[in-house]
Amino acid sequence: MKIISLFNNKGGVGKSTLGYHLGHALNEIGKKTLMVDLDPQCNLTICGIDTEELHKIWLEEDEFVDDFEKFNANNELLQKPRSIHFLLKPTEDGLSDFDIIPPPVELAQNLHLIPGRLSIHKFENKLAERWSGAYQSDNLAIRTITKIREICNLYSAKYNYDYIIIDTSPSLGILNKTIISTVDGFFIPAQPDMFSLYGIRNIGSSLNLWQREFETIYNLISSDKRTKFPEKFVQFLGYTIYNAKKYSTDKNEYDLAQAHFSYVQKIPEVIKEFIKESNRVHLSKEQIEQPIGGDAVIHSHNTFPSVAQSLNCPMWEVPDKYSNLYKNNRDWLIEREIEPINQGSYGRYRETKEKYIAFAHSLIERLNNL
Amino acid sequence: MNKFDEVLAFYQNPTTQFQLESFRKRVKDFFENNPAFSDHLSVVHSVKSRLKDVNHLEEKLVRKESEKGKEITTDNLFNEITDLIGVRVLHLYFDQFGIIHNEIMKQIDNGEWTLYEPPKAYTWDPDMSEEFEKLGIKSNRKDSYTSVHYVIKPNPKENVFCCEIQVRTLFEEIWGEIDHSINYPVKTDSIACAEQLKVLSKLASTGTRLADSIFRSHIDHKKTKADN
């Protein structure tokens, strides 16, 4: 089992859309996958489940997220899916964990989701408060820092996942420091612009800093506590250009506007300069140069992702899902103000599947080297 | 350019100092705030701790090389110089030592610390040697004072620093302080001083013995009173 995280320093690059479709693509090729939404914006969760359903999950948890002491562990809440913040709550409040693992949301037979929650900032505050305790080998501090990884391992032990994908917010704060430093690998979905170059610079220098902090903690804690952390520091898996406008007129490798393409060309250099070699030992020279999956998912699908999001399915399932609803549950479509979908575009919706599968294969190839 | 500059710079580097300081605080805190040490009269009287002064370290590096032919580098500093962190635990009478020893060994057993070398006792007194051996501590004859030394690490990782813990009674501490004033940094060449220090070391042990006896009588007396 490998835990992967997606990160980009700049929001709005389609990161959650890519994460969601990656999960579905992995599922298509027979890899059992869990997605964990640790971005307070919850875009990944919104792709996966209906807002109504999410609201129900949140509503049931509300009073315990405010104060976990009221929670009684026999509560039937644990028989239904719970948000990631709820799962972290006993640790956040320094109380004992419940020993039941609430079921994840089933998006498909072998694709599961632990929904996000806006209130995750409270857990982040506790991380910040307790961080220095880790240097003193303080039990609660270590528990707080390693809890996300532990939840991944607990779910994996029960459901036997091949991969766990963690979606993150576009910040370099302490929550992401903890997530990215305690997963196995991460990759960067980037748009072909100046922000992406700076984003890679930032994550590179943050990684160096974080690694020093973690190494220091490792020197100070017992070997027993050390096992709660990953053996090796996180590895960079590469970048992918995502959601870029297609210009066939400008003649370059990826059919991008020349201005965009020139940014893409600079990315490998920035990686080599700012992400130090020990954090990308498994990447060949070629893998640093090339986006993950080559040009498989580079170009924007325009309105497809938002349609897919409103139907809570991956883009390639839109035609079937839509025509099914149109036949059997037209009210549902009307309630959600879903625009009619032109049958002429069904083919292009379906074509996305093999592109994301190609992307998933390319990522797996890089993960296998970890 | 002094040949030890690199090692000394590494020792003084903020990251190194931060780690040593963090562990020093933790060990000190363990002896000062451990509930196992707080009965009606605290088992631990006081705790002193320090990081090795950089000048003293330099002297030690020079000594190691000239006396043992051992060259210290940044790679072996932490394993060769085991008292970069020093914590001294003082108690009143010998019977308290067993409690302190057990608590240290508990930390080892539950994996919080690892022993870098077996604990060593130093004493001139054969009776004390026997007491230490009973607790499984190897005893070495020393002309001077009675003291037990542990070298621990936060974990068994290669190249992690050590911390030396010295446990002794207040009486022995007094002897140590006086000896230090007379014989450090230069050993006295006064035979009279050296002789008197030897006598003082017997006096210190006798003090510890008497303290033990007083506390045993005290506890026994309280018990008899309670029984009646």
Side-chain angles (χ1 to χ4, degrees), chain A residues 37-302:
Chain A
D37 193 354
L38 273 156
D39 180 354
Q41 296 186 28
C42 300
N43 287 327
L44 177 67
T45 308
I46 294 163
C47 285
I49 57 177
D50 191 55
T51 317
E52 282 296 308
E53 196 183 334
L54 180 61
H55 188 196
K56 266 198 212 110
I57 293 174
W58 283 11
L59 199 63
E60 288 178 331
E61 297 174 351
D62 277 351
E63 61 172 317
F64 307 118
V65 165
D66 289 339
D67 179 10
F68 199 79
E69 283 222 326
K70 296 179 193 155
F71 185 73
N72 162 4
N74 304 327
N75 198 306
E76 62 194 25
L77 279 194
L78 300 178
Q79 308 304 327
K80 289 181 277 184
R82 298 272 58 98
S83 75
I84 185 66
H85 188 200
F86 184 90
L87 301 180
L88 291 164
K89 200 68 201 175
T91 301
E92 183 189 305
D93 289 3
L95 301 163
S96 58
D97 272 308
F98 33 83
D99 44 17
I100 298 167
I101 296 178
V105 176
E106 271 208 28
L107 299 180
Q109 200 191 343
N110 281 323
L111 179 65
H112 298 166
L113 166 76
I114 298 179
R117 194 171 165 124
L118 211 52
S119 52
I120 195 74
H121 70 276
K122 290 186 183 175
F123 178 76
E124 182 159 28
N125 291 344
K126 277 285 186 285
L127 265 175
E129 210 176 285
R130 291 175 191 161
W131 190 267
S132 61
Y135 298 109
Q136 292 299 323
S137 198
D138 177 77
N139 286 329
L140 186 58
I142 304 240
R143 180 182 162 198
T144 311
I145 295 172
T146 55
K147 194 66 200 176
I148 292 168
R149 185 176 172 89
E150 193 193 324
I151 288 172
C152 290
N153 285 331
L154 283 171
Y155 272 82
S156 191
K158 184 165 177 180
Y159 295 96
N160 210 358
Y161 296 113
D162 295 298
Y163 298 105
I164 295 181
I165 300 168
I166 298 182
D167 195 15
T168 60
S169 67
S171 105
L172 287 163
I174 200 156
L175 177 61
N176 284 347
K177 163 162 83 172
T178 304
I179 295 166
I180 295 169
S181 302
T182 58
V183 298
D184 301 313
F186 79 100
F187 69 92
I188 300 177
Q191 280 180 329
D193 59 17
M194 177 266 291
F195 289 102
S196 296
L197 297 183
Y198 276 89
I200 295 170
R201 278 171 86 124
N202 285 348
I203 183 73
S205 40
S206 296
L207 274 184
N208 296 344
L209 226 101
W210 297 345
Q211 185 166 16
R212 275 208 298 275
E213 283 188 53
F214 275 86
E215 290 298 333
T216 302
I217 291 171
Y218 296 162
N219 280 339
L220 289 160
I221 60 176
S222 66
S223 25
D224 194 29
K225 289 185 176 133
R226 176 66 183 82
T227 58
K228 296 175 185 277
F229 294 86
E231 226 168 293
K232 277 192 318 218
F233 196 68
V234 66
Q235 290 290 313
F236 176 61
L237 298 165
Y239 72 99
T240 178
I241 303 298
Y242 196 61
N243 210 2
K245 273 210 163 31
K246 191 169 182 173
Y247 287 94
S248 313
T249 45
D250 285 326
K251 288 284 170 267
N252 57 50
E253 194 180 350
Y254 300 134
D255 289 336
L256 299 175
Q258 202 49 45
H260 292 172
F261 186 67
S262 66
Y263 281 115
V264 175
Q265 283 177 299
K266 290 188 184 112
I267 289 178
E269 284 316 307
V270 177
I271 290 172
K272 281 182 225 164
E273 186 178 351
F274 291 95
I275 296 183
K276 70 173 189 218
E277 215 170 324
S278 64
N279 292 333
R280 48 177 171 85
V281 284
H282 305 282
L283 288 190
S284 64
K285 190 176 166 304
E286 198 182 18
Q287 285 173 324
I288 294 171
E289 308 274 335
Q290 291 291 321
I292 302 169
D295 60 2
V297 296
I298 284 185
H299 299 117
S300 161
H301 301 290
N302 303 319

